[in-house]
Amino acid sequence: MISELVPPDTVVVIFGANGDLAKRKLLPAIYHLHREGWMPRSWRVIGVARSEVADADFRREARAAIEDSGHGGVNDEDDWASFAERLSFTSTDFGPGNTGDLVEAVRRAEEAVGGRPRRLHYLSTPPTTFAPLTQGLGEAGLVERARVVYEKPFGLDLEGFHELDEVVRSVVREEDVYRIDHFLGKESVQNILALRFANRMFEAMWNRNHIDHVQIDVPEELGIGTRAGFYEKTGALRDMIVTHLFQVLAMVAMEPPYDLSAEAQFAEKVKVFESMRELRREDVVLGQYDGYRDAEGVAADSQTDTFAAIRVHIDNWRWDGVPFFLRTGKRMAQKRQTVTLAFRRPPTAMWREIAAEGLPPSYLTMELAGNQGATLSFLAKEPGPTIWLGRAQMRFTYAESFGSELIEAYERLLHDALIGDRTLFTRADGIGRTWEVVAQALDNPPPVQPYTQGTWGPQAADELIAPRGWYLPERDED
Ligand code: BG6
């Protein structure tokens, strides 16, 4: 079993190697895999980008990124030296007609690794570059023995998705395509499966008979930093909702897969996407934080959404009539990643004297970031001579129950790609359908409303969910 977890010898090529994602996530992830002994016995990483970067500078930047990654940094110089010597950088504008430099760099790296190593190409670049990079890989013969990882979003709209999908299909075998969505690599997102299907008590309630509505809420504190080039073309709806939040929604809404294999899970998730009702303009609220237009690289009249909230219905037997509310935004009041199931209210006759307007709902909230775990919030009898009800909570945290440090999503997914496990990646038909679901809203979007930094976004997002309200477990104390 363990030997299957040690990947075969591999040359990893990272396109966009001096970009934000490579620095913040990919290089630290590879370093930690190396430190834990999860990289192949023999491997090399080639960073690729247009800008001129010397090997030594690439290594220096990688070290700075690893130190900043908040994951222990470098604490052993020998470890670092054995990692750094395996990194190199190739400055090239790779694509059809210009593949020579990379072909040569891969040849050298393969010679250093020895034998006929596998190749892992990681496209950590904006979605508009995926097609030409894929064509370049095909033309150069670099798809042989290779797996290709595509960052999200896979396309920028339905048409873009189909064009890209066609190119990718013509060059790479489907079993070698790894469309990444790093939320699927989060321990707590995987835990949705465990919670639902390893516990009858949760699954028994997980349907329209007991659930009033579902919230998937991913506010962020950070702004767009140096990512204006990417963000101006994407915005919150494409960057987060169609991708991460829809994938989480599929985990919450899907039927039990027949086993834990990639195919079984893909099939159930795609069924969820198929049954999602297409978004209309009135199901969407878009916002932009004040000051966004002052950021470098942002147009003075930018209409890019830095906030998006939507209401979506899943028209199937389990979820008929249960709205799902999804919200995310930059520069909001808090960084949080939660999924909340709000339960239907109980019959009220016997409680009329306590709550004339009915009892408030119970909630199950799963925390996907920070102190990961889940909180059940319910009503209990308050101590005293009469029956009075108060809010109480039961709480599970990974830290308390299991103690161990959680594996970072990118580490897990890179390792999965190295060993050839596609379970936590996505399938093209599912992605195509998610673009269909948002197509009308993208063609005919509502106006982008301003919001103050450090708040919960435009008021219209509260109106979207009304008469319900956005919920966080600590609000019980209000
Ligand atoms: C990325 C988005 O995919 O996910 C970013 O492009 C976002 O805009 C990030 O900030 C959030 O992911 P996490 O899990 O690292 O907070």
Side-chain angles (χ1 to χ4, degrees), residues 24-25 151-152 182-183 186 218 220 222 227 230-231 239-240 243-244 330 335 337 369 408 410:
R24 278 197 313 124
K25 302 282 188 181
E151 250 309 320
K152 47 114 307 243
H182 80 273
F183 271 48
K186 287 174 189 267
V218 184
E220 297 186 283
L222 48 75
R227 302 169 71 216
F230 165 81
Y231 205 79
D239 180 37
M240 297 291 286
T243 53
H244 302 320
K330 303 285 183 206
K335 175 175 167 66
Q337 301 186 349
E408 231 273 313
Y410 274 100

Side-chain angles (χ1 to χ4, degrees), residues 342-399:
F343 291 90
R344 291 179 55 179
R345 295 159 195 258
T348 49
M350 67 183 275
W351 302 110
R352 219 164 266 147
E353 279 178 31
I354 294 179
E357 289 172 11
L359 299 175
S362 307
Y363 297 97
L364 172 65
T365 298
M366 290 158 271
E367 303 273 354
L368 312 181
N371 196 5
Q372 298 183 38
T375 303
L376 196 54
S377 162
F378 55 97
L379 294 171
K381 181 192 171 304
E382 285 187 2
T386 53
I387 290 218
W388 199 249
L389 300 173
R391 277 262 163 217
Q393 292 188 345
M394 285 196 268
R395 183 129 202 263
F396 147 67
T397 66
Y398 266 94

Side-chain angles (χ1 to χ4, degrees), residues 5 79 84 121 150 209 278 332 373 377 430 436 456 468:
L5 296 178
D79 239 12
H121 303 297
Y150 292 87
N209 298 331
E278 289 167 22
M332 291 179 63
S377 162
E436 241 166 53
W456 292 99
R468 304 145 174 127

Side-chain angles (χ1 to χ4, degrees), residues 63-117:
R63 179 161 185 157
I66 291 160
E67 300 285 4
D68 280 354
S69 70
H71 207 332
V74 173
N75 50 19
D76 181 326
E77 288 305 320
D78 290 342
D79 239 12
W80 170 251
S82 70
F83 175 80
E85 69 185 16
R86 294 175 158 98
L87 305 185
S88 66
F89 200 91
T90 298
S91 306
T92 178
D93 189 4
F94 182 82
N98 188 23
T99 59
D101 292 344
L102 184 59
V103 168
E104 175 53 21
V106 169
R107 192 196 59 72
R108 268 185 277 121
E110 291 187 344
E111 209 171 275
V113 168
R116 275 167 62 80

Side-chain angles (χ1 to χ4, degrees), residues 253-309:
M254 73 184 189
E255 295 303 315
Y258 59 81
D259 65 18
L260 292 175
S261 65
E263 283 313 320
Q265 294 195 48
F266 285 156
E268 294 307 334
K269 287 178 193 164
V270 171
K271 273 159 60 185
V272 173
F273 297 137
E274 289 295 343
S275 33
M276 278 168 89
R277 198 181 300 169
E278 289 167 22
L279 293 185
R280 297 154 310 164
R281 196 173 204 245
E282 55 269 37
D283 297 317
V284 180
V285 172
L286 300 179
Q288 187 186 79
Y289 63 78
D290 291 333
Y292 170 72
R293 293 176 182 178
D294 302 334
E296 206 186 315
V298 172
D301 58 352
S302 171
Q303 291 299 316
T304 299
D305 48 308
T306 62
F307 173 100

